[in-house]
Amino acid sequence: MRVLVTGAAGFIGSHTCQALLARGDSVVGIDNFDPFYDPAIKRRNLSEVQASGGDRFAFLQGDLLDQADVDRAFDLGPFDVVVHLAAKAGVRPSIQDPIAYVRANLETTTRLLETCLRRGPKRVVFASSSSVYGADSDAPFGEQAHADRPVSPYAATKRAGELLAHTYAHLHGFDVTCLRFFTVYGPRQRPEMAIHKFASALCKGEPIPVFGDGGSSRDYTYVDDILVGVLGAIDRPQGFAVFNLGGDRETKLLDLIRMLGQALSVQPNLVHLPEAAGDVPRTSADLTRATAGLGYRPKVSIEDGLARFAAWYRISQA
Ligand SMILES: NC(=O)c1ccc[n+]([C@@H]2O[C@H](COP(=O)([O-])OP(=O)(O)OC[C@H]3O[C@@H](n4cnc5c(N)ncnc54)[C@H](O)[C@@H]3O)[C@@H](O)[C@H]2O)c1
């Protein structure tokens, strides 16, 4: 299979490229090294992909907001499927700069879909997010929920991306699978995300910022499990489809911090801060549909996943 991966130098993108290459696929990656977090980290991710890819991997530094760059990527095709992971991620920064999020997440997605329409393939896997369920969906979240009350611009752009994708499936017969990732963690996790940020604070002896009373909870999903879902979606085109990709269970924030402290052998020291706008109180994935449609079953428990993350974190800091 020949696959175009957008956001290839990012956390999930670099792992996706490596998983595709490991099973013999050919991959073209595109990324603009967006400065949302240190581009040196992305270059490091990319060098690990390049080391494992040989001549089945090609990379293009390019911006999906620039049609010439998108065309240059498609010149390296033809592709069987496009895996669209590029985005500005993160809930809180989207409240500060919503216009940048609309451009980075919606204009890019539309450009990509239009280019697929013109040049093929009419087959896309789109990275959506558990944040589309907002603050008032019934838990566990099922894909049939309306998901029409997002509480951050980021969530709104992800839901709008799904709706755009649906339009292309309806009008033009695209196969589009939207994957709602639930808080992904593991090696190369974005440095501003909770587990990575907490590990950094723990190892520097700094207090961990806890927004609210610590009773919020997340369905943390280890990146290896996410990859099984992404590959399953690549291999099973099924018209327009939406799937949750979640972890083995929900974990409360204070429990997460305690477990991470144990994994790193550091006693956590907390500083309590007010609830942050845009954050949802809990996420919890109903995986019934993903199990039936993608054969998706998360295998990595939060305890094992945190131990693996801690091992990677220590090496990455050495
Ligand atoms: N990590 C999670 O927990 C999580 C949860 C839900 C959804 N998602 C979604 O999964 C995808 C990957 O997330 P991630 O955590 O790997 O984030 P990431 O920031 O590490 O990766 C995204 C990559 O996209 C690139 N990018 C951004 N704008 C671009 C543009 N205009 N042109 C080309 N490249 C561009 C960035 O440089 C970055 O390398 C995103 O769409 C994100 O919204 C992630």
Side-chain angles (χ1 to χ4, degrees):
M1 218 182 239
R2 225 176 137 68
V3 187
L4 174 64
V5 177
T6 75
F11 163 42
I12 300 172
S14 59
H15 283 291
T16 298
C17 292
Q18 281 181 299
L20 287 164
L21 293 165
R23 66 179 205 169
D25 292 329
S26 294
V27 179
V28 172
I30 181 169
D31 201 297
N32 69 344
F33 301 110
D34 182 289
F36 175 61
Y37 62 89
D38 186 355
I41 297 174
K42 300 180 185 185
R43 291 188 189 279
R44 214 159 39 235
N45 295 342
L46 189 64
S47 67
E48 290 180 33
V49 179
Q50 280 162 332
S52 61
D55 59 5
R56 282 185 292 106
F57 180 69
F59 177 75
L60 186 72
Q61 178 167 352
D63 191 336
L64 296 174
L65 287 169
D66 181 339
Q67 187 60 44
D69 285 353
V70 178
D71 282 327
R72 280 201 296 141
F74 278 73
D75 288 344
L76 299 172
F79 302 110
D80 298 297
V81 56
V82 174
V83 181
H84 180 34
L85 303 170
K88 272 195 191 293
V91 164
R92 290 174 207 151
S94 77
I95 298 171
Q96 308 309 317
D97 195 358
I99 290 170
Y101 274 70
V102 168
R103 291 200 73 217
N105 296 359
L106 276 182
E107 186 178 330
T108 54
T109 303
T110 314
R111 249 176 221 295
L112 203 60
L113 289 166
E114 273 298 298
T115 311
C116 286
L117 177 61
R118 225 169 0 96
R119 304 184 58 170
K122 290 185 176 180
R123 211 169 136 194
V124 176
V125 174
F126 171 65
S128 186
S129 160
S130 59
S131 63
V132 302
Y133 289 109
D136 62 357
S137 292
D138 291 333
F141 303 156
E143 294 89 340
Q144 73 289 346
H146 289 300
D148 57 2
R149 293 170 188 265
V151 296
S152 68
Y154 169 70
T157 63
K158 285 289 163 185
R159 184 69 175 116
E162 294 181 352
L163 300 177
L164 264 171
H166 180 269
T167 312
Y168 281 74
H170 174 77
L171 289 178
H172 307 297
F174 275 50
D175 284 299
V176 188
T177 302
C178 302
L179 300 175
R180 293 177 175 168
F181 298 155
F182 281 65
T183 319
V184 189
Y185 72 103
R188 304 185 196 145
Q189 190 196 38
R190 300 195 321 262
E192 95 294 351
M193 288 187 73
I195 293 174
H196 198 153
K197 193 173 67 179
F198 295 167
S200 166
L202 282 165
C203 292
K204 288 182 193 148
E206 293 170 358
I208 294 184
V210 174
F211 293 93
D213 64 2
S216 64
S217 62
R218 291 285 177 274
D219 200 331
Y220 296 99
T221 313
Y222 195 71
V223 67
D224 288 5
D225 284 326
I226 289 289
L227 295 176
V228 173
V230 172
L231 296 183
I234 288 170
D235 292 342
R236 296 180 211 201
Q238 39 198 309
F240 179 77
V242 179
F243 293 106
N244 289 336
L245 295 184
D248 74 327
R249 63 179 196 266
E250 225 177 311
T251 303
K252 287 209 185 304
L253 181 58
L254 292 181
D255 291 334
L256 176 86
I257 295 169
R258 179 180 47 74
M259 287 191 269
L260 184 63
Q262 281 166 358
L264 289 163
S265 310
V266 181
Q267 184 65 38
N269 170 17
L270 309 183
V271 54
H272 286 273
L273 299 171
E275 205 84 59
D279 280 358
V280 295
R282 70 184 287 201
T283 62
S284 168
D286 181 337
L287 297 177
T288 314
R289 192 189 284 186
T291 304
L294 301 176
Y296 177 78
R297 281 182 193 81
K299 292 199 169 59
V300 183
S301 68
I302 185 74
E303 292 84 356
D304 285 354
L306 288 176
R308 292 191 208 180
F309 175 83
W312 168 82
Y313 182 79
R314 280 208 195 85
I315 291 168
S316 76
Q317 298 301 303

